[in-house]
Amino acid sequence: MVSRELKKWTNYWHITQDTHQRPHTVAIQNVFNQYAGYKIIFFDAGTYYVTDTIAIPAGTQIVGEAWSVVLGGGSNFQDENNPKVVVQAGAPNSEGVFEISDIVFSTAGPGAAGLWDTHVRLETAGTDMQDAQCPQGSVNTAFLAIYLAPGSSAYFEVRRVHEIDIGYSLRMLPGNLGMDRRPRPRRDLIPSDVTEHATLYQYNFANAQNHYIGFAQSETPYYQPVPAAPAPFNSASSSISNLDPTFSESINMAWAMYVQASSDIILFGAGFYSFFQNYDQTCLATNACQNQIFNVDSASSVTVYSLSTVGVTYQLSVGERGIVSASDNQNGFQDTVTAWSP
């Protein structure tokens, strides 16, 4: 609902948004029905979601604040054979002043989900999970950063998952993409994305379909392999862990990207970096900080363009066997694969 509060200004009716109660259709219509024509109706800054036509009578004066948004959405607006207006100005044979200023009218898509300029930030200032509060090995920060459930679809632009490495207190398992077990006709778009320092993997695509990932960047936890992944997690500790990668004596650091039983995956530009072993950078001189960093299983269809790595022996693996050697693709500071597909 929309809460209504009469201010001291005798000529204004002030609408404030309660974002926890949606849609706002009925409350907004009630304000217009009662006060249009003799009060200037003021919308606080915010987004007002309406699911049916708002009929604004003649004689109405509306003022927004910093581009207040009236957002139309829902099933009433989804029949192209019977289109409905979101906002109706006046009625047949009506007369009177009609003024709208500083308002945006917009529409919401059916079931879309997106992230823009969004961060998941762990173990930073204000979280009570920094060095002073978390002796090494004492704290698990979070289990999962972002999980796309079966049948879901999303758009991520300039998204970042980040946590500061503080000894063993870095404990996160972000199954950032994947676990998506149903085919979908729409493609997930991830045009700019950063995920760093997670314990098991930065991106996990499992039974996924139709993903485009552009300009992805990751860093392996600085403390690994002491302890070796998946420590301190038990990789079979939850109902959604059955599609997590397993680890061994030779594969003991977090994967930047892990793809299994997935199709139509496009990676267009990526930087997968491994700068340390147990906080020491001696390994950079020989690209030996991490043996493998990006794995695709034999059942998946993946196309890769412009993949850059640092500190890695094998840039790309199939079935956890390194097939693209960084030493064959030296390109200044990083090593770069121009293109690859199975």
Side-chain angles (χ1 to χ4, degrees):
M1 64 180 288
V2 172
S3 60
R4 293 168 292 169
E5 180 180 359
L6 184 61
K7 294 296 186 181
K8 294 179 181 179
W9 318 304
T10 58
N11 290 328
Y12 283 79
W13 187 262
H14 185 196
I15 299 178
T16 58
Q17 178 189 216
D18 180 352
T19 57
H20 299 290
Q21 299 291 331
R22 291 178 51 167
H24 306 120
T25 315
V26 173
I28 290 176
Q29 188 64 66
N30 288 342
V31 170
F32 286 128
N33 292 345
Q34 188 171 357
Y35 296 101
Y38 69 97
K39 296 285 186 181
I40 296 174
I41 297 172
F42 179 80
F43 281 74
D44 265 358
T47 298
Y48 299 83
Y49 183 63
V50 299
T51 56
D52 206 348
T53 299
I54 298 294
I56 306 178
T60 301
Q61 294 171 284
I62 302 172
V63 179
E65 180 184 31
W67 302 110
S68 307
V69 178
V70 176
L71 183 71
S75 59
N76 286 330
F77 301 118
Q78 293 179 9
D79 184 358
E80 63 180 292
N81 296 315
N82 183 30
K84 297 185 67 173
V85 298
V86 175
V87 174
Q88 175 185 315
N93 303 316
S94 63
E95 295 181 358
V97 172
F98 193 91
E99 298 177 356
I100 298 177
S101 60
D102 295 327
I103 295 282
V104 172
F105 297 103
S106 188
T107 58
L115 298 176
W116 291 264
D117 296 325
T118 301
H119 294 242
V120 177
R121 190 178 66 175
L122 305 170
E123 295 186 8
T124 54
T127 63
D128 290 332
M129 286 188 287
Q130 292 189 285
D131 208 15
Q133 297 88 14
C134 301
Q136 291 188 350
S138 65
V139 172
N140 291 348
T141 306
F143 178 75
L144 197 66
I146 296 176
Y147 171 66
L148 297 188
S152 63
S153 181
Y155 177 91
F156 294 164
E157 181 176 332
V158 195
R159 182 196 68 97
R160 192 175 192 218
V161 174
H162 183 266
E163 52 184 316
I164 296 175
D165 290 340
I166 309 173
Y168 302 154
S169 65
L170 171 66
R171 301 301 177 242
M172 175 182 165
L173 195 164
N176 296 87
L177 285 310
M179 308 292 188
D180 187 352
R181 300 182 176 89
R182 300 182 199 171
R184 295 185 315 277
R186 292 183 294 175
R187 181 177 295 280
D188 285 349
L189 299 176
I190 308 165
S192 180
D193 201 75
V194 179
T195 300
E196 299 177 334
H197 314 311
T199 303
L200 274 71
Y201 51 78
Q202 317 310 318
Y203 301 88
N204 181 13
F205 294 90
N207 292 331
Q209 184 181 18
N210 294 333
H211 288 279
Y212 171 91
I213 310 99
F215 301 103
Q217 189 242 304
S218 77
E219 291 183 8
T220 301
Y222 297 169
Y223 64 84
Q224 287 182 342
V226 183
F233 285 108
N234 176 356
S235 60
S237 61
S238 84
S239 60
I240 62 172
S241 297
N242 61 314
L243 292 175
D244 285 345
T246 57
F247 295 86
S248 64
E249 185 175 341
S250 60
I251 301 176
N252 56 10
M253 299 178 74
W255 293 99
M257 185 171 288
Y258 199 84
V259 183
Q260 50 186 321
S262 299
S263 61
D264 298 324
I265 309 297
I266 298 174
L267 178 62
F268 194 91
F272 296 155
Y273 308 133
S274 188
F275 294 123
F276 295 84
Q277 280 192 343
N278 193 22
Y279 299 106
D280 183 85
Q281 291 192 292
T282 305
C283 56
L284 278 177
T286 56
N287 270 349
C289 297
Q290 187 166 348
N291 187 42
Q292 301 180 54
I293 199 166
F294 177 17
N295 184 72
V296 178
D297 72 3
S298 58
S300 298
S301 61
V302 179
T303 303
V304 178
Y305 300 98
S306 190
L307 165 66
S308 294
T309 61
V310 173
V312 175
T313 304
Y314 288 102
Q315 298 177 275
L316 194 145
S317 304
V318 174
E320 300 185 1
R321 181 178 63 86
I323 63 167
V324 178
S325 175
S327 61
D328 295 333
N329 298 292
Q330 295 180 8
N331 184 30
F333 173 70
Q334 74 276 356
D335 306 309
T336 303
V337 178
T338 302
W340 179 89
S341 61

